Amino acid sequence: MSQRSHRTSIGPKMMLPVALAIAASMPSAASAGSKVHVGASVPAGQRVTFDAIDHREWDRLLSEYVDDQGMVAYARWKRSDADTRALDEYLRHLSAANPQAGASREAKLAFWINAYNAVTIRGILREYPTSSIRNHTAKVFGYNIWDDLLLSVGGDDYSLNQIEHEILRKLGEPRIHFAIVCASISCPRLLNEAYTREELATQLTENTRHFFAQPGNFRYDTGSRRFHLSSILKWFAEDFGADRSGQLATIAPYLPTEQARTAAERGGGSVSYLSYDWGLNEQG
């Protein structure tokens, strides 16, 4: 994992002078199917580019509550009123971004990856104690955390599904699937540092390699020449290539053994998909 030298915290009031524009606080509970809003309503004149967004407070929170394997100390985080408020303040800071303003691709990716992960954590803290995010994903009636938990950014509201499918996937970087985390054991590791435009390439590479190094996410049987892949590669296959050969070639550089890399580069072998553990990614 890449290490950064600026893990210093900045006080919430230093992050963004838009406290006066804060939207209604997240309610402690929501009625069935109601929308839950996080972030702030930031006047157009106070909005900034993605490059100007400061992720250091999110970095501090991750380093405090997430271990090297991406497991989260939800109970301890929820007990800290100060750090729960700090997370809310960070989300309000994200609201000041202007998606229409020019920004580097790296800054956009870092922003939306951090936004997805921070909103997910806030949604779990709101429900905690819970055993799985799937407990809060009503399909027909009732609250669905992926559709009804909304972050305000630049005057518009974005759900987790919108961030993933309408923004991040359209940026053409398949490794986002090994960076955004849905609070589950079979998800990629939640990096315990914020993604930044300066270190994005290294962070994505290292977290993708870490993902495929886990037996629960990837195995290669040399005898049968069979790849056992995470279900993520099935759900989002098109993001990795037009066909199975292209998809295997895309992930080849990140596979943990030379045999697996060589076989994937050649596009040979059969594929099966591993079961997905939706249990909460909580520290034991």
Side-chain angles (χ1 to χ4, degrees):
M1 180 188 305
S2 67
Q3 297 297 320
R4 305 230 315 280
S5 61
H6 57 280
R7 286 199 180 276
T8 55
S9 167
I10 58 173
K13 291 183 179 179
M14 295 176 63
M15 291 180 66
L16 181 71
V18 298
L20 53 91
I22 291 171
S25 298
M26 173 183 286
S28 59
S31 59
S34 65
K35 303 298 184 182
V36 175
H37 294 265
V38 296
S41 177
V42 178
Q46 296 181 16
R47 297 172 194 165
V48 299
T49 69
F50 288 128
D51 288 283
I53 294 296
D54 190 335
H55 298 290
R56 282 181 291 177
E57 186 69 353
W58 178 232
D59 188 84
R60 180 189 72 81
L61 291 168
L62 290 169
S63 67
E64 176 65 26
Y65 294 104
V66 181
D67 66 21
D68 289 341
Q69 296 304 308
M71 307 302 277
V72 184
Y74 290 108
R76 184 163 60 87
W77 197 335
K78 187 159 185 174
R79 287 195 302 268
S80 173
D81 290 338
D83 281 341
T84 300
R85 288 194 301 271
L87 176 55
D88 287 336
E89 185 67 26
Y90 173 69
L91 293 170
R92 290 192 284 269
H93 179 57
L94 295 181
S95 295
N98 180 3
Q100 282 70 53
S104 65
R105 180 173 179 270
E106 292 77 13
K108 292 178 184 178
L109 281 163
F111 176 92
W112 288 112
I113 291 169
N114 289 332
Y116 185 98
N117 290 341
V119 171
T120 299
I121 291 290
R122 190 61 185 92
I124 294 297
L125 289 175
R126 174 181 174 271
E127 305 295 344
Y128 192 84
T130 186
S131 60
S132 172
I133 194 171
R134 293 292 292 271
N135 297 338
H136 315 287
T137 56
K139 299 299 184 292
V140 180
F141 299 107
Y143 172 76
N144 185 322
I145 191 171
W146 289 323
D147 293 319
D148 297 323
L149 181 58
L150 305 174
L151 172 66
S152 177
V153 179
D156 293 315
D157 290 335
Y158 296 87
S159 69
L160 289 169
N161 271 334
Q162 287 175 309
I163 293 172
E164 179 176 12
H165 302 296
E166 297 178 19
I167 299 174
L168 281 169
R169 292 182 66 193
K170 291 184 178 180
L171 288 172
E173 173 51 83
R175 292 177 299 176
I176 61 105
H177 294 296
F178 312 115
I180 58 174
V181 181
C182 59
S184 301
I185 291 171
S186 286
C187 285
R189 169 182 63 175
L190 176 61
L191 202 62
N192 59 358
E193 59 182 34
Y195 286 86
T196 66
R197 68 171 187 256
E198 296 86 0
E199 296 195 35
L200 181 70
T202 298
Q203 290 170 318
L204 289 176
T205 295
E206 292 188 357
N207 226 40
T208 301
R209 285 176 175 160
H210 180 274
F211 180 84
F212 286 108
Q214 310 310 307
N217 298 331
F218 173 82
R219 297 194 297 274
Y220 178 64
D221 188 324
T222 56
S224 63
R225 297 176 65 241
R226 176 175 288 272
F227 293 90
H228 301 270
L229 304 177
S230 164
S231 291
I232 289 174
L233 277 297
K234 175 174 64 175
W235 298 332
F236 305 105
E238 64 191 76
D239 293 357
F240 294 89
D243 54 27
R244 181 171 294 175
S245 177
Q247 293 154 12
L248 289 172
T250 296
I251 66 173
Y254 310 102
L255 300 183
T257 68
E258 184 176 352
Q259 287 178 316
R261 289 192 295 272
T262 299
E265 287 167 357
R266 294 172 178 171
S270 58
V271 169
S272 63
Y273 296 97
L274 300 163
S275 60
Y276 206 83
D277 188 342
W278 289 99
L280 191 66
N281 61 340
E282 181 172 19
Q283 290 181 19

